């Protein structure tokens, strides 16, 4: 765990990311987090006829979460919010319940910039973490767990890094560390931070995107609600291995691509049923 307001925070974060690909950060505005859950409860309670009009995915509107592995069926329901719009799409309209989320988004930016600052100080990876998407997720409790049924199948996130928080026992998040699926331990006010594909590309694979999955709990009595913030780069940013990570012994392993093209290609592959990880 890392107190995000303590001295030497960059070194602590660097150590955790090198060794495990994640860390748990403390020091986030809890009132902003509570607001996210309040909005989420209202938004997920809206009828499917309304959900269909917005940036919402879930089996209840016949727009399921991507399979990620080309086989699994996801039980996840998700509202996506961004004041910037989504990669070439103009700012999306939102239900009235979302009116307070822009302020929350900027509070998340403050936390994200501290993570980005640590990446810059320790690894020379510099970017503005103020772009991306806020996601409000729900995994209903009491789901029948079958071999093809998943909360979310194993995958890595497409952006630079992801900040997660969750409540409820109906499903659990697991991450892959040294070939083993583990449940990250955190206190109720801790935020889990994992790496995405963009940082892996920028560091030429020195830092790896963190594989993770959500496992539906048989007989779980509480819905799982998650607040997730994907920190991305500006859509026009060119993503390629930084020069200090490219050596004769470690040539560039990733081709240059813009953030927009990276997202479009990954999403297109998902639509075609191709696994992303």
């Amino acid at each position: 765990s890392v107190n995000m307001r303590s001295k030497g925070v960059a070194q602590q974060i660097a150590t955790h990311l090198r060794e495990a690909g994640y860390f748990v950060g403390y020091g986030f505005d809890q009132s902003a987090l509570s607001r996210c859950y309040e909005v989420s409860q209202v938004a997920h309670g809206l009828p499917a006829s309304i959900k269909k009009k917005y940036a919402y995915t879930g089996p209840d509107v016949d727009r399921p979460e991507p399979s990620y592995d080309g086989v699994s069926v996801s039980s996840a329901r998700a509202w996506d919010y961004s004041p910037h719009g989504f990669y070439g799409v103009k700012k999306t309209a939102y239900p009235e319940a979302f009116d307070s989320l822009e302020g929350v988004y900027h509070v998340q930016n403050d936390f994200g910039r501290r993570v980005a600052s640590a990446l810059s100080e320790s690894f020379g990876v510099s970017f503005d973490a103020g772009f991306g998407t806020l996601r409000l997720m729900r995994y209903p409790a009491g789901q029948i767990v079958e071999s093809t049924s998943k909360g979310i199948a194993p995958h890595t996130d497409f952006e630079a890094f992801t900040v997660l928080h969750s409540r409820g026992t109906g499903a659990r998040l697991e991450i892959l560390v040294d070939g083993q699926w583990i449940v990250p331990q955190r206190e109720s006010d801790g935020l889990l931070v994992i790496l995405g594909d963009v940082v892996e590309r920028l560091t030429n694979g020195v830092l790896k995107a963190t594989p993770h999955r959500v496992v539906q709990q048989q007989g779980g009595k509480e819905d799982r609600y998650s607040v997730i913030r994907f920190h991305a780069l500006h859509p026009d940013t060119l993503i390629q291995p930084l020069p200090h990570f490219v050596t004769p012994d470690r040539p560039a392993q990733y081709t240059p691509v813009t953030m927009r093209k990276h997202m479009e290609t990954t999403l297109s592959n998902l639509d075609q049923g191709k696994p992303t990880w």
Side-chain angles (χ1 to χ4, degrees):
S1 63
V2 175
N3 182 338
M4 298 298 289
R5 301 185 187 279
S6 66
K7 293 182 179 179
V9 65
Q11 186 175 0
Q12 294 178 59
I13 288 174
T15 299
H16 290 305
L17 293 180
R18 279 196 188 98
E19 295 179 354
Y22 80 97
F23 70 92
V24 177
Y26 295 88
F28 183 74
D29 184 340
Q30 293 299 297
S31 64
L33 197 58
S34 295
R35 185 61 187 144
C36 283
Y37 284 110
E38 291 169 6
V39 173
S40 187
Q41 290 272 1
V42 172
H44 281 286
L46 293 172
S49 59
I50 294 178
K51 293 175 178 176
K52 287 180 180 178
K53 300 176 182 179
Y54 298 102
Y56 174 87
T57 55
D60 53 335
V61 297
D62 297 322
R63 286 200 299 258
E65 183 74 8
S67 171
Y68 293 109
D69 60 4
V71 177
S72 299
V73 178
S74 174
S75 67
R77 279 85 163 149
W79 285 90
D80 290 310
Y81 169 86
S82 173
H84 307 293
F86 303 98
Y87 300 97
V89 178
K90 292 183 179 179
K91 182 177 177 180
T92 308
Y94 293 100
E96 186 176 326
F98 282 54
D99 287 350
S100 64
L101 287 186
E102 184 161 359
V104 172
Y105 189 92
H106 292 302
V107 172
Q108 291 177 324
N109 283 351
D110 291 339
F111 184 92
R113 286 183 176 120
R114 278 179 262 160
V115 177
S117 177
L119 288 169
S120 176
E121 183 177 330
S122 297
F123 301 103
V125 178
S126 298
F127 55 84
D128 180 356
F131 292 88
T133 304
L134 166 57
R135 176 165 255 215
L136 302 176
M137 302 196 74
R138 172 178 172 249
Y139 300 88
Q143 298 291 297
I144 297 174
V145 180
E146 300 173 348
S147 59
T148 57
S149 176
K150 301 283 194 306
I152 282 187
H155 67 286
T156 57
D157 288 339
F158 319 144
E159 297 84 356
F161 60 89
T162 306
V163 182
L164 307 96
H165 190 275
S166 63
R167 296 174 178 171
T169 59
R172 72 171 184 268
L173 175 73
E174 299 179 344
I175 64 175
L176 191 65
V177 179
D178 295 332
Q180 298 292 321
W181 289 103
I182 69 164
V183 178
Q185 300 302 307
R186 63 173 181 84
E187 300 299 323
S188 60
D189 59 340
L191 299 179
L192 178 68
V193 182
I194 62 175
L195 294 174
D197 297 338
V198 165
V199 166
E200 180 170 325
R201 282 179 171 267
L202 290 172
T203 64
N204 201 28
V206 170
L207 292 175
K208 295 289 188 183
T210 313
H212 55 289
R213 66 186 183 185
V214 174
V215 179
Q216 197 78 49
Q217 296 293 92
Q218 186 79 51
K221 293 182 172 55
E222 293 179 290
D223 291 358
R224 174 189 171 94
Y225 283 88
S226 298
V227 174
I228 301 173
R229 173 60 191 276
F230 302 107
H231 287 272
L233 280 61
H234 186 280
D236 295 331
T237 304
L238 186 65
I239 304 165
Q240 60 185 330
L242 296 169
H244 57 281
F245 289 107
V246 179
T247 67
D249 294 332
R250 192 181 186 89
Q253 300 178 46
Y254 306 86
T255 55
V257 64
T258 64
M259 184 75 217
R260 178 184 287 107
K261 184 64 175 178
H262 166 61
M263 294 293 292
E264 290 174 348
T265 301
T266 305
L267 292 170
S268 175
N269 286 341
L270 285 173
D271 286 342
Q272 297 173 47
K274 297 178 182 178
T276 60
W277 172 76

